[in-house]
Amino acid sequence: MPAWLLHLPLITPISISFSSSSSHLLLLFSSSGYSKMGTHFLFLLVLNIYLLSSIKTIFGLTKEQEQELDRISVLPGQPSVKFSQYSGYVTVNYKHGRALFYWFTEASSSPSHKPLLLWLNGGPGCSSVAYGASEEIGPYRINKTGSSLYLNKHSWNTEANILFLESPAGVGFSYTNTTSDLQNSGDKRTAQDALIFLIRWFSRFPQYKYRDFYIAGESYAGHYVPQLAKKIHDYNKASPHPIINLKGFIVGNGVTDSYYDSIGTVTYWWSHSMISDETYRSIIDNCDFKEDNKTSEKCDDSVSYAINHEFGNIDQYSIYTPACTKQQQQPPNNSSLIKPLLRLKNTLFSRRIFSGYDPCTENYAEKYFNTPQVQQALHANITRIPYKWTACSDILIKNWKDSEYSMLPTYKELIAAGLRIWIFSGDTDSVVPVTATRFSLSHLNLTVKTRWYPWYSGKQVGGWTEVYNGLTFATVRGAGHEVPLFQPKRAFTLFRSFLAGKQLPRS
């Protein structure tokens, strides 16, 4: 251990040992001035960065021992399971102190023979632990008390090893020691940090190098997923021995193209009787969706009137299901109303209340993941971030700096690269609705391989699908924005078909 670490101000030498019984580091220290905030922060910062970057050098750990440091023994209130799970941090920028938090659940059977899937939620600024892991595709659901877990019988980890990533820094437990990072996050840095995360994660878990690898996500991950796929594709082309065996990706209710998404959203509102003919005409006449991030007073007023006076008290993410009555959202102010329509990435994506079988599930997640025992079991919040864990980060949502206007050129490039690409839409979501996705994808001008047909889950129509050369599109009947939350069985059928590379079942 270097001498400078033992001579930090006001801190006596530290005893560090590795416990083979608990597979965790034991950090013992004392300080006459430890209660002072400056020294406390400095110590934790220096120690955390040093251990994250040099832990193998210090202790001579094998990869297996490095993994053991991240192993989750058991989560509070967790039912018994046979699969292994890990969680912890991967530093993606040492200079700024950016570290991303992950939660990894191995497949429930034969994990060494099953692919690896990375799941990303959108926002931008919302947590994959809160939504993907705890409400959608993860192995657990959180009980109403927010103190225990129960099994999700449609968990996707029956088919794949699943890696949930809280991205970018500032989301959930992921953090940065450079405050300005929270003010200038955007698409480009998020994709670059995610690539660095993966490279370093594979170094920690080398048994997953070269494994069939897929990316999945929803909402603003309609940007994250294809952007990361392109980063990996470019990285692999430049690498003589690529370790990330990217096979394809799947995106649900994803933000795709600002212009076509906006037109499709207004069309959905009108076609589902959420707005009047007069308001629909007013929005179409006064909003120039081709002008990126520009608006007019008449456009603002038209959209504001629709949302505040014609929608009613509904959950815009699932228009036919009851909303959670335990917590009421304040209506967004006028200045930000047009941005979700023009860019589909602002107020409507912020701290939301979802509907579904249990419309208050987000509340349970915020209670559970703020419990100290849960954080300890997850090896989370090790730097004691000065704010509560939340499902979405308002500061990131409000200060997002760069956002690609259209993902269609990226799709064209990745289709040409031969990746397996599936796009799906829950058909009761009014925020990134099925009409928006269909309008956007239609401008890829792809050749139809298999014409539109109903697909089945069990004995019921699960939705409709059309297969193109290079891309499959599917709807999920009766599902809102978070498809696996609202229709878990149908979403599972969809995922299993995607992994198998087979068309959705016709009966």
PDB file of all heavy atoms in Angstrom, residues 460-480:
ATOM      1  N   GLN A 460     -54.469 -16.389 -26.634  1.00  0.00           N
ATOM      2  CA  GLN A 460     -54.930 -15.036 -26.895  1.00  0.00           C
ATOM      3  C   GLN A 460     -53.973 -14.315 -27.846  1.00  0.00           C
ATOM      4  O   GLN A 460     -52.769 -14.602 -27.869  1.00  0.00           O
ATOM      5  CB  GLN A 460     -55.029 -14.247 -25.586  1.00  0.00           C
ATOM      6  CG  GLN A 460     -56.014 -14.808 -24.581  1.00  0.00           C
ATOM      7  CD  GLN A 460     -57.446 -14.723 -25.067  1.00  0.00           C
ATOM      8  OE1 GLN A 460     -57.853 -13.744 -25.691  1.00  0.00           O
ATOM      9  NE2 GLN A 460     -58.230 -15.758 -24.787  1.00  0.00           N
ATOM     10  N   VAL A 461     -54.519 -13.385 -28.590  1.00  0.00           N
ATOM     11  CA  VAL A 461     -53.682 -12.550 -29.447  1.00  0.00           C
ATOM     12  C   VAL A 461     -52.791 -11.702 -28.546  1.00  0.00           C
ATOM     13  O   VAL A 461     -53.260 -10.939 -27.707  1.00  0.00           O
ATOM     14  CB  VAL A 461     -54.536 -11.650 -30.359  1.00  0.00           C
ATOM     15  CG1 VAL A 461     -53.648 -10.631 -31.087  1.00  0.00           C
ATOM     16  CG2 VAL A 461     -55.303 -12.491 -31.364  1.00  0.00           C
ATOM     17  N   GLY A 462     -51.483 -11.854 -28.702  1.00  0.00           N
ATOM     18  CA  GLY A 462     -50.539 -11.077 -27.901  1.00  0.00           C
ATOM     19  C   GLY A 462     -50.264  -9.714 -28.492  1.00  0.00           C
ATOM     20  O   GLY A 462     -49.819  -8.803 -27.793  1.00  0.00           O
ATOM     21  N   GLY A 463     -50.546  -9.570 -29.780  1.00  0.00           N
ATOM     22  CA  GLY A 463     -50.310  -8.321 -30.490  1.00  0.00           C
ATOM     23  C   GLY A 463     -50.235  -8.593 -31.970  1.00  0.00           C
ATOM     24  O   GLY A 463     -50.741  -9.615 -32.461  1.00  0.00           O
ATOM     25  N   TRP A 464     -49.600  -7.691 -32.698  1.00  0.00           N
ATOM     26  CA  TRP A 464     -49.465  -7.836 -34.141  1.00  0.00           C
ATOM     27  C   TRP A 464     -48.009  -7.583 -34.523  1.00  0.00           C
ATOM     28  O   TRP A 464     -47.290  -6.863 -33.819  1.00  0.00           O
ATOM     29  CB  TRP A 464     -50.392  -6.859 -34.860  1.00  0.00           C
ATOM     30  CG  TRP A 464     -51.840  -7.223 -34.698  1.00  0.00           C
ATOM     31  CD1 TRP A 464     -52.607  -7.966 -35.557  1.00  0.00           C
ATOM     32  CD2 TRP A 464     -52.702  -6.893 -33.608  1.00  0.00           C
ATOM     33  NE1 TRP A 464     -53.880  -8.120 -35.065  1.00  0.00           N
ATOM     34  CE2 TRP A 464     -53.980  -7.471 -33.867  1.00  0.00           C
ATOM     35  CE3 TRP A 464     -52.535  -6.181 -32.415  1.00  0.00           C
ATOM     36  CZ2 TRP A 464     -55.053  -7.343 -33.001  1.00  0.00           C
ATOM     37  CZ3 TRP A 464     -53.612  -6.055 -31.549  1.00  0.00           C
ATOM     38  CH2 TRP A 464     -54.858  -6.626 -31.840  1.00  0.00           C
ATOM     39  N   THR A 465     -47.598  -8.167 -35.627  1.00  0.00           N
ATOM     40  CA  THR A 465     -46.196  -8.046 -36.004  1.00  0.00           C
ATOM     41  C   THR A 465     -46.026  -8.010 -37.511  1.00  0.00           C
ATOM     42  O   THR A 465     -46.882  -8.506 -38.256  1.00  0.00           O
ATOM     43  CB  THR A 465     -45.362  -9.218 -35.418  1.00  0.00           C
ATOM     44  OG1 THR A 465     -43.988  -9.035 -35.738  1.00  0.00           O
ATOM     45  CG2 THR A 465     -45.820 -10.555 -35.979  1.00  0.00           C
ATOM     46  N   GLU A 466     -44.937  -7.414 -37.938  1.00  0.00           N
ATOM     47  CA  GLU A 466     -44.522  -7.443 -39.338  1.00  0.00           C
ATOM     48  C   GLU A 466     -43.004  -7.580 -39.358  1.00  0.00           C
ATOM     49  O   GLU A 466     -42.300  -6.908 -38.589  1.00  0.00           O
ATOM     50  CB  GLU A 466     -44.965  -6.188 -40.083  1.00  0.00           C
ATOM     51  CG  GLU A 466     -44.755  -6.280 -41.587  1.00  0.00           C
ATOM     52  CD  GLU A 466     -45.658  -5.307 -42.351  1.00  0.00           C
ATOM     53  OE1 GLU A 466     -45.414  -4.086 -42.279  1.00  0.00           O
ATOM     54  OE2 GLU A 466     -46.607  -5.791 -43.009  1.00  0.00           O
ATOM     55  N   VAL A 467     -42.527  -8.457 -40.225  1.00  0.00           N
ATOM     56  CA  VAL A 467     -41.096  -8.735 -40.308  1.00  0.00           C
ATOM     57  C   VAL A 467     -40.546  -8.137 -41.590  1.00  0.00           C
ATOM     58  O   VAL A 467     -41.084  -8.375 -42.674  1.00  0.00           O
ATOM     59  CB  VAL A 467     -40.814 -10.245 -40.253  1.00  0.00           C
ATOM     60  CG1 VAL A 467     -39.311 -10.510 -40.290  1.00  0.00           C
ATOM     61  CG2 VAL A 467     -41.434 -10.861 -39.004  1.00  0.00           C
ATOM     62  N   TYR A 468     -39.478  -7.350 -41.440  1.00  0.00           N
ATOM     63  CA  TYR A 468     -38.817  -6.737 -42.589  1.00  0.00           C
ATOM     64  C   TYR A 468     -37.437  -7.354 -42.768  1.00  0.00           C
ATOM     65  O   TYR A 468     -36.926  -8.040 -41.875  1.00  0.00           O
ATOM     66  CB  TYR A 468     -38.663  -5.223 -42.366  1.00  0.00           C
ATOM     67  CG  TYR A 468     -39.940  -4.528 -42.004  1.00  0.00           C
ATOM     68  CD1 TYR A 468     -40.270  -4.299 -40.661  1.00  0.00           C
ATOM     69  CD2 TYR A 468     -40.839  -4.101 -42.983  1.00  0.00           C
ATOM     70  CE1 TYR A 468     -41.450  -3.663 -40.315  1.00  0.00           C
ATOM     71  CE2 TYR A 468     -42.014  -3.467 -42.643  1.00  0.00           C
ATOM     72  CZ  TYR A 468     -42.310  -3.258 -41.307  1.00  0.00           C
ATOM     73  OH  TYR A 468     -43.501  -2.624 -40.978  1.00  0.00           O
ATOM     74  N   ASN A 469     -36.829  -7.108 -43.889  1.00  0.00           N
ATOM     75  CA  ASN A 469     -35.438  -7.508 -44.068  1.00  0.00           C
ATOM     76  C   ASN A 469     -34.571  -6.637 -43.167  1.00  0.00           C
ATOM     77  O   ASN A 469     -34.368  -5.468 -43.424  1.00  0.00           O
ATOM     78  CB  ASN A 469     -35.012  -7.339 -45.531  1.00  0.00           C
ATOM     79  CG  ASN A 469     -35.569  -8.418 -46.426  1.00  0.00           C
ATOM     80  OD1 ASN A 469     -35.817  -9.544 -45.982  1.00  0.00           O
ATOM     81  ND2 ASN A 469     -35.789  -8.108 -47.693  1.00  0.00           N
ATOM     82  N   GLY A 470     -34.095  -7.223 -42.071  1.00  0.00           N
ATOM     83  CA  GLY A 470     -33.219  -6.501 -41.166  1.00  0.00           C
ATOM     84  C   GLY A 470     -33.848  -6.013 -39.888  1.00  0.00           C
ATOM     85  O   GLY A 470     -33.140  -5.546 -38.989  1.00  0.00           O
ATOM     86  N   LEU A 471     -35.175  -6.148 -39.741  1.00  0.00           N
ATOM     87  CA  LEU A 471     -35.829  -5.629 -38.527  1.00  0.00           C
ATOM     88  C   LEU A 471     -37.196  -6.274 -38.355  1.00  0.00           C
ATOM     89  O   LEU A 471     -37.924  -6.497 -39.335  1.00  0.00           O
ATOM     90  CB  LEU A 471     -35.964  -4.111 -38.624  1.00  0.00           C
ATOM     91  CG  LEU A 471     -36.510  -3.338 -37.417  1.00  0.00           C
ATOM     92  CD1 LEU A 471     -35.833  -1.966 -37.316  1.00  0.00           C
ATOM     93  CD2 LEU A 471     -38.025  -3.135 -37.505  1.00  0.00           C
ATOM     94  N   THR A 472     -37.545  -6.548 -37.100  1.00  0.00           N
ATOM     95  CA  THR A 472     -38.877  -7.051 -36.765  1.00  0.00           C
ATOM     96  C   THR A 472     -39.591  -6.025 -35.899  1.00  0.00           C
ATOM     97  O   THR A 472     -39.017  -5.514 -34.938  1.00  0.00           O
ATOM     98  CB  THR A 472     -38.792  -8.393 -36.004  1.00  0.00           C
ATOM     99  OG1 THR A 472     -38.273  -9.404 -36.873  1.00  0.00           O
ATOM    100  CG2 THR A 472     -40.165  -8.832 -35.497  1.00  0.00           C
ATOM    101  N   PHE A 473     -40.842  -5.719 -36.251  1.00  0.00           N
ATOM    102  CA  PHE A 473     -41.667  -4.829 -35.432  1.00  0.00           C
ATOM    103  C   PHE A 473     -42.833  -5.616 -34.866  1.00  0.00           C
ATOM    104  O   PHE A 473     -43.440  -6.443 -35.554  1.00  0.00           O
ATOM    105  CB  PHE A 473     -42.188  -3.653 -36.249  1.00  0.00           C
ATOM    106  CG  PHE A 473     -43.182  -2.810 -35.496  1.00  0.00           C
ATOM    107  CD1 PHE A 473     -42.765  -2.004 -34.440  1.00  0.00           C
ATOM    108  CD2 PHE A 473     -44.539  -2.843 -35.805  1.00  0.00           C
ATOM    109  CE1 PHE A 473     -43.674  -1.246 -33.719  1.00  0.00           C
ATOM    110  CE2 PHE A 473     -45.450  -2.084 -35.101  1.00  0.00           C
ATOM    111  CZ  PHE A 473     -45.022  -1.283 -34.058  1.00  0.00           C
ATOM    112  N   ALA A 474     -43.149  -5.363 -33.579  1.00  0.00           N
ATOM    113  CA  ALA A 474     -44.279  -6.047 -32.955  1.00  0.00           C
ATOM    114  C   ALA A 474     -44.984  -5.108 -31.989  1.00  0.00           C
ATOM    115  O   ALA A 474     -44.351  -4.279 -31.333  1.00  0.00           O
ATOM    116  CB  ALA A 474     -43.800  -7.289 -32.204  1.00  0.00           C
ATOM    117  N   THR A 475     -46.300  -5.238 -31.923  1.00  0.00           N
ATOM    118  CA  THR A 475     -47.055  -4.550 -30.880  1.00  0.00           C
ATOM    119  C   THR A 475     -47.383  -5.558 -29.788  1.00  0.00           C
ATOM    120  O   THR A 475     -47.392  -6.773 -30.020  1.00  0.00           O
ATOM    121  CB  THR A 475     -48.373  -3.948 -31.417  1.00  0.00           C
ATOM    122  OG1 THR A 475     -49.313  -5.010 -31.683  1.00  0.00           O
ATOM    123  CG2 THR A 475     -48.127  -3.150 -32.692  1.00  0.00           C
ATOM    124  N   VAL A 476     -47.622  -5.041 -28.593  1.00  0.00           N
ATOM    125  CA  VAL A 476     -48.041  -5.894 -27.479  1.00  0.00           C
ATOM    126  C   VAL A 476     -49.396  -5.378 -27.012  1.00  0.00           C
ATOM    127  O   VAL A 476     -49.513  -4.263 -26.498  1.00  0.00           O
ATOM    128  CB  VAL A 476     -47.019  -5.885 -26.331  1.00  0.00           C
ATOM    129  CG1 VAL A 476     -47.471  -6.821 -25.213  1.00  0.00           C
ATOM    130  CG2 VAL A 476     -45.642  -6.295 -26.835  1.00  0.00           C
ATOM    131  N   ARG A 477     -50.399  -6.194 -27.212  1.00  0.00           N
ATOM    132  CA  ARG A 477     -51.783  -5.772 -26.965  1.00  0.00           C
ATOM    133  C   ARG A 477     -52.039  -5.546 -25.475  1.00  0.00           C
ATOM    134  O   ARG A 477     -51.716  -6.384 -24.637  1.00  0.00           O
ATOM    135  CB  ARG A 477     -52.738  -6.834 -27.508  1.00  0.00           C
ATOM    136  CG  ARG A 477     -54.209  -6.427 -27.492  1.00  0.00           C
ATOM    137  CD  ARG A 477     -55.041  -7.360 -28.361  1.00  0.00           C
ATOM    138  NE  ARG A 477     -55.113  -8.693 -27.799  1.00  0.00           N
ATOM    139  CZ  ARG A 477     -56.135  -9.147 -27.072  1.00  0.00           C
ATOM    140  NH1 ARG A 477     -57.154  -8.355 -26.788  1.00  0.00           N
ATOM    141  NH2 ARG A 477     -56.133 -10.385 -26.621  1.00  0.00           N
ATOM    142  N   GLY A 478     -52.591  -4.387 -25.153  1.00  0.00           N
ATOM    143  CA  GLY A 478     -52.982  -4.088 -23.783  1.00  0.00           C
ATOM    144  C   GLY A 478     -51.840  -3.680 -22.885  1.00  0.00           C
ATOM    145  O   GLY A 478     -52.014  -3.624 -21.662  1.00  0.00           O
ATOM    146  N   ALA A 479     -50.683  -3.369 -23.449  1.00  0.00           N
ATOM    147  CA  ALA A 479     -49.526  -2.995 -22.632  1.00  0.00           C
ATOM    148  C   ALA A 479     -49.280  -1.502 -22.714  1.00  0.00           C
ATOM    149  O   ALA A 479     -49.431  -0.884 -23.770  1.00  0.00           O
ATOM    150  CB  ALA A 479     -48.273  -3.747 -23.095  1.00  0.00           C
ATOM    151  N   GLY A 480     -48.881  -0.926 -21.577  1.00  0.00           N
ATOM    152  CA  GLY A 480     -48.514   0.470 -21.533  1.00  0.00           C
ATOM    153  C   GLY A 480     -47.035   0.655 -21.819  1.00  0.00           C
ATOM    154  O   GLY A 480     -46.384  -0.185 -22.453  1.00  0.00           O
TER     155      GLY A 480
END
